[in-house]
Amino acid sequence: NVNIVKNICCLGAGYVGGPTMAVLASKCPNIKVTVVDIDLNKIAAWNNQNLDKLPVFEPGLDKIISKVRGKNLFFSNDIEKSIKDSELVFISVNTPTKIKGFGAFYASDLKWVESSARQVAKYASGHTIVVEKSTVPVKTAELIKKILKSSNSSNKKKENSFSVLSSPEFLAEGSAINDLINPDRVLIGGDNEESIKKLCAIYENWIPKEKILVTNIWSSELSKLTANAFLAQRISSINSIAAICEKTGAEIKEVSAAIGSDTRIGNKFLLSSPGFGGSCFQKDILNLVYLSRYYGLDHVAKYWENVISLNNWQKERISEVIVDKLFGTITGKKIVLLGFSFKANTNDTRESPSIDIAKNLLENGAKLVINDPRVSNKQIELALNQPSKEIDHNVEGIWYYEEDILEAVKSADAIVILTEWQEYKNLNWELISKSMRKPSWVFDTRGIINRREIDVTPINLWTLGKG
Ligand code: NAD
Ligand code: UGA
């Protein structure tokens, strides 16, 4: 059957490449899937027999890996052989915001996508379908096509051919496995019918046909940026209303429920928070802003840029509330931060609002104690760009990691809940209150604490979107 692909390679073994290929391999036992990466340590970690040491934490991922790894899923350093042996190559590499040069702080840095295309151009044999899975600016497929084409003209002996498709990924971290197994839709953009059929046939192993949408390649690329921009826009919208709630006596949860029950609005993505984090929302909106400016659409650029500016303000404003409630100064005060990942059920801290809030508090002289069930001390050191240091009474603006929450809160002035981990939902507030310094404060930026449990203690509670 011409529609059957037997060997797949994925470039990039990160948060997308790893889980996506694990699910694909488990649903397509007849396809051999090889995931490669330029980061050899990452490949070693994916091959670790101790499943707690996988580079990505996702509920359910370890089970799938233990089922398929070594059977039809392989993590390998041999990029050349893996590409050569594959009829289809997913590009699933990082596309972060550029930090220097033209377009700095807006445009996506495509150097990893370009290097991926060059690797495919160099090593591919026969006809190879190249699928963009990374999130990329509209028109990136053109760049990939040009690189693949030029390799052919420079190497006359090879009789290679390529087709390029776009198939962006919509999984969310923390629920990646479920999102991959039961996606709302899968998107394929392209113009080569045969290649589209082949990619459809892979997805059809577990995804109902009607959920596989086929568009032109530019629509597919743009839909990915648009989906993230719309999702992030809802968060900035609800966070802006949370600020009005705090001034007026309205409650954000009630407002969310009231508007969310209008089916035209829908009830998802209406949780107010310390701001959206994660590696993609900000990056993808900045990318959209950059594209809009590039095409002379300044009003469009400004519209989307405001979603980010509201998000930045949210983090700033929460830091200010904390300082304000603690009598206008936090110098030398012990503040416990609960949660460092950008959302629950992931070990990812990229663009986590906890980073900005922690930095603000450190700048104001606080002594922070940070806890997170999945994020390590080392990861926090990297994110804050500051080593951890045991509390020293003479030094301000320091932090350390504490695994034991009851230990962390001893003589603390405040606790700030930043991530909605299950572990933080049922804390023993009576016990905690006894060991905190008075007056003690709890700042709940996720609205996960039961107010009645706090009300029986001397703790002062501030809840986002309620006051
Ligand atoms: P990541 O940083 O976790 O992983 C990318 C990996 O690609 C890295 O390990 C890197 O070493 C590797 N790499 C870079 N260049 C390479 C090359 N030439 N050959 C082989 N490997 C190479 O990134 P991620 O979070 O997995 O995101 C990947 C892409 O998917 C991004 O474009 C992102 O926007 C998009 N995306 C991410 C998510 C998410 O939840 N994280 C969801 C949907 C889409
Ligand atoms: C998001 C999208 O949901 C995915 O569809 C997309 O594939 C992915 O980005 C991507 O392109 O990387 P992710 O960032 O992993 O997924 O997680 P989300 O659940 O979207 O949460 C993002 C941030 O928004 C988190 O900080 C979360 O706490 C926050 N959020 C989410 C809210 O503040 N309120 C909500 O109601 C929902």
Side-chain angles (χ1 to χ4, degrees):
N1 185 335
V2 287
N3 283 338
I4 290 182
V5 169
K6 291 216 166 75
N7 289 288
I8 289 179
C9 168
C10 174
L11 305 179
Y15 282 89
V16 170
T20 307
M21 292 303 125
V23 168
L24 194 152
S26 78
K27 296 292 182 185
C28 310
N30 299 324
I31 300 180
K32 180 181 169 197
V33 182
T34 310
V35 188
V36 297
D37 203 292
I38 45 174
D39 181 344
L40 305 187
N41 290 331
K42 212 172 255 186
I43 293 298
W46 280 110
N47 282 321
N48 201 316
Q49 288 313 307
N50 180 350
L51 294 173
D52 273 344
K53 298 255 158 71
L54 295 178
V56 170
F57 169 73
E58 272 298 333
L61 176 63
D62 48 356
K63 252 199 200 141
I64 297 185
I65 293 283
S66 70
K67 219 178 76 189
V68 291
R69 194 178 57 187
K71 289 208 176 83
N72 67 328
L73 175 68
F74 300 89
F75 293 93
S76 161
N77 292 327
D78 196 341
I79 297 184
E80 175 171 353
K81 183 174 182 325
S82 309
I83 293 176
K84 194 178 269 166
D85 289 349
S86 299
E87 303 114 86
L88 187 146
V89 177
F90 283 107
I91 297 182
S92 199
V93 301
N94 37 323
T95 51
T97 307
K98 277 180 91 169
I99 47 170
K100 57 182 185 191
F102 297 127
F105 309 115
Y106 285 95
S108 281
D109 194 339
L110 292 179
K111 76 175 174 203
W112 291 275
V113 170
E114 182 177 333
S115 71
S116 301
R118 288 184 189 277
Q119 284 164 341
V120 179
K122 195 164 164 197
Y123 302 131
S125 68
H127 181 75
T128 308
I129 303 170
V130 178
V131 184
E132 295 173 340
K133 197 146 253 319
S134 295
T135 304
V136 290
V138 192
K139 291 290 182 191
T140 301
E142 204 156 83
L143 172 163
I144 297 176
K145 278 183 187 168
K146 278 187 185 151
I147 290 173
L148 297 173
K149 211 168 160 192
S150 68
S151 87
N152 262 354
S153 54
S154 65
N155 190 347
K156 294 262 158 40
K157 268 183 269 165
K158 273 190 171 179
E159 290 200 6
N160 290 349
S161 57
F162 300 97
S163 48
V164 178
L165 301 178
S166 152
S167 184
E169 184 48 60
F170 295 99
L171 69 81
E173 287 177 30
S175 57
I177 301 302
N178 186 45
D179 296 343
L180 288 163
I181 294 176
N182 306 300
D184 285 348
R185 76 337 206 152
V186 158
L187 187 54
I188 300 177
D191 52 17
N192 182 307
E193 269 188 33
E194 215 165 283
S195 305
I196 293 173
K197 262 191 207 150
K198 286 186 178 172
L199 185 55
C200 279
I202 296 172
Y203 286 130
E204 279 168 19
N205 279 295
W206 78 99
I207 295 163
K209 265 193 180 138
E210 61 277 12
K211 286 194 173 179
I212 304 176
L213 312 181
V214 178
T215 66
N216 84 34
I217 199 156
W218 320 123
S219 305
S220 172
E221 289 179 338
L222 183 59
S223 299
K224 174 63 199 179
L225 296 183
T226 308
N228 274 356
F230 268 61
L231 290 169
Q233 175 270 121
R234 282 174 75 96
I235 301 169
S236 281
S237 297
I238 206 70
N239 279 340
S240 75
I241 302 300
I244 303 182
C245 287
E246 289 160 31
K247 301 275 184 210
T248 56
E251 290 187 25
I252 196 63
K253 277 196 177 165
E254 294 180 348
V255 176
S256 290
I259 65 164
S261 51
D262 182 326
T263 52
R264 293 169 305 172
I265 295 175
N267 60 10
K268 292 187 181 145
F269 261 70
L270 288 178
L271 292 173
S272 63
S273 68
F276 55 78
S279 63
C280 293
F281 280 174
Q282 174 167 306
K283 154 177 90 73
D284 295 345
I285 295 177
L286 288 171
N287 204 332
L288 205 56
V289 170
Y290 181 75
L291 276 173
S292 309
R293 290 232 167 87
Y294 176 83
Y295 289 112
L297 303 168
D298 272 5
H299 280 83
V300 181
K302 269 190 211 140
Y303 176 79
W304 288 109
E305 201 159 21
N306 271 328
V307 171
I308 294 181
S309 116
L310 195 291
N311 198 51
N312 288 335
W313 175 72
Q314 179 76 345
K315 293 179 271 190
E316 191 86 19
R317 142 180 131 72
I318 288 173
S319 311
E320 277 170 9
V321 165
I322 296 168
V323 176
D324 186 50
K325 297 284 186 199
L326 298 181
F327 305 121
T329 173
I330 55 169
T331 311
K333 289 186 178 160
K334 184 176 172 187
I335 301 179
V336 180
L337 303 190
L338 295 185
F340 206 79
S341 58
F342 77 97
K343 61 184 282 197
N345 294 321
T346 175
N347 61 341
D348 196 348
T349 63
R350 290 177 291 181
E351 305 295 338
S352 174
S354 302
I355 300 175
D356 291 299
I357 292 174
K359 282 186 175 167
N360 286 338
L361 300 178
L362 287 171
E363 255 165 42
N364 279 282
K367 294 175 177 174
L368 299 183
V369 187
I370 303 179
N371 172 279
D372 189 286
R374 285 284 167 184
V375 179
S376 67
N377 186 72
K378 201 169 143 216
Q379 246 179 305
I380 302 173
E381 285 190 339
L382 284 173
L384 294 179
N385 198 14
Q386 179 180 333
S388 65
K389 189 175 181 349
E390 281 297 320
I391 293 273
D392 174 339
H393 290 290
N394 299 314
V395 188
E396 292 152 8
I398 51 176
W399 73 274
Y400 72 94
Y401 182 84
E402 177 54 65
E403 208 176 273
D404 180 347
I405 296 178
L406 287 179
E407 197 54 44
V409 300
K410 276 189 186 154
S411 68
D413 295 280
I415 298 173
V416 189
I417 296 182
L418 291 171
T419 313
E420 72 286 19
W421 283 101
Q422 190 58 35
E423 284 87 336
Y424 303 148
K425 291 184 182 167
N426 296 304
L427 293 172
N428 185 338
W429 290 109
E430 248 181 296
L431 202 61
I432 289 174
S433 160
K434 281 190 187 128
S435 67
M436 290 178 78
R437 191 161 83 138
K438 312 286 175 314
S440 8
W441 277 90
V442 169
F443 298 91
D444 180 6
T445 70
R446 295 280 183 174
I448 58 172
I449 288 184
N450 185 341
R451 187 169 278 265
R452 268 173 284 153
E453 286 173 22
I454 294 266
D455 281 349
V456 296
T457 73
I459 293 175
N460 300 294
L461 175 65
W462 178 87
T463 308
L464 180 74
K466 183 174 161 83

